[in-house]
Amino acid sequence: MNWADLNLMPALPEIFLLAALSFILVLDLFIPDEKRDVTYGLSLLTLAACAALQLATFEPFATTTFSGMFVDDPMADIIKVAMYGVTAAVLVYTRQYVADRGMFRGEYYTLSLFALLGMNVMVSSSHFLTLYIGLELLSLALYALIALRRDSAAGTEAAMKYFVLGALASGMLLYGMSMVYGATGSLAISEIAAAIASGHSNAVLLVFGLVFLVAGLAFKLGAVPFHMWVPDVYQGSPTAVTLMLGAAPKLAAFVFIIRILVQGMGELSGDWQGMLVLIAALSMMIGNVAAIAQTNIKRMLAYSTISHMGFLLLGLLAANEQGYASAMFYAMVYVLTTLAGFGVLLALSHAGFECEKLEDLKGLNQRNSWYAFLMLLVMFSMAGIPPLAGFYAKFAVIKSVVDLGAVNMGFGMVSALYLAVFAVMMSLVGAFYYLRVVKNMYFDDKQSDAPIVVRGEMKVLLSVNALALLVLGVLPQGLIELCIEAMRQSLAVL
Amino acid sequence: MLSNLLSLVIWVPIAAGLLVLATGGDQRAVLARWLALAGAALGFLVSLPLFLNFDVLNAGMQFEEMRPWIAALNINYHLGVDGISMLFIVLNSFITLMVVLAGWEVIQKRVAQYMAAFLIMSGLINGAFAALDAILFYVFFEAMLIPMYLIIGVWGGPRRVYASIKFFLYTLLGSLLMLVAFIYLYFAAGKTFSILAFQDLMAIPLNVQILLFIAFFMSFAVKVPMWPVHTWLPDAHVEAPTGGSMVLAAITLKIGAYGFLRFALPILPDASRELAPIIVGLSLVAVVYIGLVALVQTDMKKLVAYSSISHMGFVTLGFFLFAGNELNVWAVEGAIVQMVSHGFVSAAMFFCIGVMYDRVHSRNIADYGGVANKMPIFAAFMVLFAMANSGLPATSGFVGEFMVIMGAVQVNFWVAALAALTLIFGAAYTLWMVKRVIFGEVGNHHVEELKDVNKREFLVLAVLALTVLGMGLYPQAFVDKMHLSVNDLIAHVAQSKL
């Protein structure tokens, strides 16, 4: 490596993030408990600075650094800016919640930033090793976050489950990567793509590797049949961490899939499409059907996440730019919706009370019609009812599936339409349990008179967050265009 | 101003609804009511130029607006009305005004939310009638489920939760299949969602047409509702508050029938022709069987709900009377007149039941008797609307039914004969109910204590009575508006796409 020519600009936000978080880590040691808000404020400032740096270094094409192991392309830029925003929102939403539960400590903030750094590395990696390092950095931070309340049995159990199953998934990913390495002789994504395209690599070994990679990805995404950990971890973790786990990492996982399956193994799309069809269909079905039986909202949202991941995979299935863009749009909207949904749950929780049962939402409209309205937007968006953003997400994905049928003769219009009809029927099943939440909030009488006290900054941000679903539902053009452009510019170079 | 008329018709009620919502809790209920009334009146006023300035010599779309909306997916904000959809926009804006008045002091809890829900829904319904882009239509069509779900669930009767969820899921099932049909047509029509382009689409094989027809049918038949997918309607009607029932019966059912006119018939003429005997059969079942079901109801609202299904059976019957390639013009126009008339009459019937329910808190026929003794003015109106509901000449109810039967006679005598049974059944169940409720001795002490209608109720009843009579005496005013559009539709349907 020639150090003189090393251009660190593409990785500038990550370098800054690492420096800032190390600073916060050290500084926090000297901050007394009652001044912990300094840590909180500095973390938010760091995120804002990162976003500014990201935008300042934006280039409408891909640039690489660290001998091509790290790539900065428009897709990564957009996803990273979104992740900074999401992480900041998570910190704001959870501020009171963690304070009420003895988790308002420096570790909570530094671990969150470490998780973000891991995601950033994942999003920007163009090499299997960086990808893996990023993933492990994220996972290790999350394991610790889930277990942050040492005295909580549920939290510890969730952390243990997540750790064991996560390690298994990482193992599968590594195994798959090693097979691909064996077949192509490289771990760099562009070289793998070139080797596969040349047709000289061992096809059997490649497909074997692909199977392990897809299994590992499905595991991380929480798609059926590798979904078992999702409900338990969602339910067991403190709601603050569930939000951390369910929001930004889904964006990172989406890019992870694009990097491996599309940029690395795009030539093998015929092989992975078949697997994704099954995983997507099963996820939509099992996620939606199992969610009906839940009485715990966090668990219900976990199953709903599984079904949403199924929808997201449908977009990837189309294996063209439109399809990837629709999946990216889906991921963005999903994260925005989840954020607002858990945000309301956090707003309703207070010291000594966890809002996590379906009954806890009863009569919310009587207690506070504004939060009920925000949650209503979230639920109808998840159900995919217009005019909310969730509708366009589902619509774009289903359209890309039919598109696949219209273009790809091998797949066929009839099977595409079957899949589309199956998908909409599953979203009908899903509508039921989202409606039940609305029913609890609006039709039932309140069971508690506990005042809902929410910090000012959270009130504003949560309102903006949920109303964005409505605004994006009426005017979705901008975000859709952004996703299409990002995909076009990022995939063009490789 | 005129160029944005349709946008105004859609967004004025929605903006007014949001404004009403912003008045907050029940301590400012009075303000919410007056704001809602102003919004509804304004909404009705901006819809009037549509009727008055409508060019009856133009068969195409009028008051068109076209703006790119989601360019990436080629979805446009494309509005326009023909002689058919225009009538329903005006009808809807009018009924919304009545609904606001109907709920005036009846609704005491969460007034702002109630009024806002109706205003927003009114705008969405206008949007569905005015949309010329399939996805725009779909957005409006689905979005109106949200306020209706809340209206039934929050202000409804004892089984409101069951009814509202059933209503929502039933209608969602149909519309999701329609969405897939739209996406298919998008690719077939060369990457556009324009409804007019769908209609002009040439060459769709019959098997594809039939599949698409089934998708549309699922969506619209549930909404109409046709037998046997009608079961959500009695539940929804019975549990909904008066205003909800009025809007459901007067407007939302019409969107289903309108869907057949706008989508199923012109886009898929061959499948429509092939499957017409089935639709006619289902419609006759609705007319005859549901008419009999209505006869045995003990709950007034349920009775009128079943009567709605029976009347809507008449509408779908009129739409699918093919003679060779051609639809029968009498039948189609009669069906549309029937839709408008039923809008007025069913709204009036539900309002009458609401007036009694507010006083006695019962919808059971058995709990009444001799209401005319205590409420003579009310009784006079109710008898008039009952007559209209059973299709008495000189009321609006007669015109449509007569035209459809005329058309049916030209196509098939036996269909006409069966359809004509509705005049007997309609008279039987409506008048029998009126006899038991209105006439006779004073039934019990609740009826004894009844007070006649107040000014507000009188206003609503009088306005509705005038429209019902006006339409019955001079239907030409409506038929003229739609005549060219219907001919255009029939010409479209006559053109095979095989």
Side-chain angles (χ1 to χ4, degrees), chain A residues 322 365-366 369 373 376 380 383-388 391-392 395-396 398-400 402-404 406-407 413 417 420-421 424-425 427-429 431-432 434-436 438-439 441-445 473-477 480-481 484, chain B residues 11 18 21 69-75 109-110 113 124 135 138-146 149-154 160-161 164-165 168-174 176-177 179-184 186-187 191 193 211:
Chain A
Q322 282 276 342
N365 186 36
Q366 293 169 354
S369 56
F373 177 66
L376 171 103
F380 280 120
I385 306 291
L388 292 150
F391 164 68
Y392 300 95
F395 171 71
I398 291 170
K399 183 163 164 282
S400 75
V402 180
D403 195 10
L404 172 70
V407 188
M413 195 59 173
L417 285 176
V421 170
V424 294
M425 285 303 109
S427 76
L428 176 72
V429 174
F432 172 73
Y434 297 124
L435 280 183
R436 195 171 48 186
V438 177
K439 172 230 148 205
M441 293 189 304
Y442 277 85
F443 305 170
D444 292 337
D445 282 326
V474 178
L475 301 166
Q477 166 73 359
I480 294 178
E481 202 109 281
I484 292 177
Chain B
W11 296 106
L18 294 177
L21 206 54
W69 179 29
I70 312 174
L73 303 172
N74 204 7
I75 301 173
K109 64 169 186 176
R110 286 170 255 172
Q113 291 183 358
L124 296 174
I135 298 304
Y138 185 84
V139 167
F140 284 125
F141 187 77
E142 285 257 286
M144 74 180 83
L145 291 181
I146 300 175
Y149 173 71
L150 294 176
I151 287 167
I152 299 174
V154 177
R160 59 187 201 273
V161 172
S164 59
I165 291 187
F168 197 104
L169 293 182
Y170 237 108
T171 30
L172 186 63
L173 164 73
L176 285 170
L177 288 176
L179 183 65
V180 178
F182 282 157
I183 296 176
Y184 176 86
Y186 168 82
F187 289 106
K191 305 224 167 191
F193 280 112
L211 284 176

Side-chain angles (χ1 to χ4, degrees), chain A residues 5-55:
Chain A
D5 291 344
L6 185 61
N7 176 13
L8 288 178
M9 284 308 276
L12 191 60
E14 283 74 21
I15 294 167
F16 172 78
L17 179 58
L18 179 61
L21 99 85
S22 307
F23 173 72
I24 294 173
L25 183 64
V26 176
L27 183 75
D28 184 69
L29 296 176
F30 302 99
I31 293 179
D33 268 346
E34 63 274 14
K35 287 195 183 149
R36 197 65 70 200
D37 268 327
V38 175
T39 315
Y40 169 64
L42 276 178
S43 305
L44 289 180
L45 267 182
T46 306
L47 290 169
C50 281
L53 277 176
Q54 199 76 53
L55 291 173

Side-chain angles (χ1 to χ4, degrees), chain B residues 91-150:
Chain B
L91 172 70
N92 174 43
S93 304
F94 173 75
I95 294 292
T96 303
L97 194 56
M98 296 297 115
V99 163
V100 169
L101 285 171
W104 198 257
E105 66 239 13
V106 179
I107 298 296
Q108 287 296 343
K109 64 169 186 176
R110 286 170 255 172
V111 179
Q113 291 183 358
Y114 177 86
M115 295 294 181
F118 276 106
L119 284 170
I120 291 171
M121 192 158 66
S122 169
L124 296 174
I125 291 170
N126 283 343
F129 280 122
L132 290 182
D133 184 284
I135 298 304
L136 187 64
F137 171 81
Y138 185 84
V139 167
F140 284 125
F141 187 77
E142 285 257 286
M144 74 180 83
L145 291 181
I146 300 175
M148 200 66 214
Y149 173 71
L150 294 176

Side-chain angles (χ1 to χ4, degrees), chain A residues 79-94:
Chain A
I79 292 281
K80 279 186 217 166
V81 171
M83 289 194 309
Y84 300 135
V86 169
T87 309
V90 170
L91 295 186
V92 171
Y93 291 174
T94 56

Side-chain angles (χ1 to χ4, degrees), chain B residues 369-398:
Chain B
V371 171
N373 299 318
K374 292 292 158 188
M375 303 174 74
I377 302 174
F378 170 76
F381 281 117
M382 174 121 179
V383 171
L384 170 71
F385 295 131
M387 291 298 176
N389 199 38
S390 41
L392 186 80
T395 63
S396 63
F398 171 72

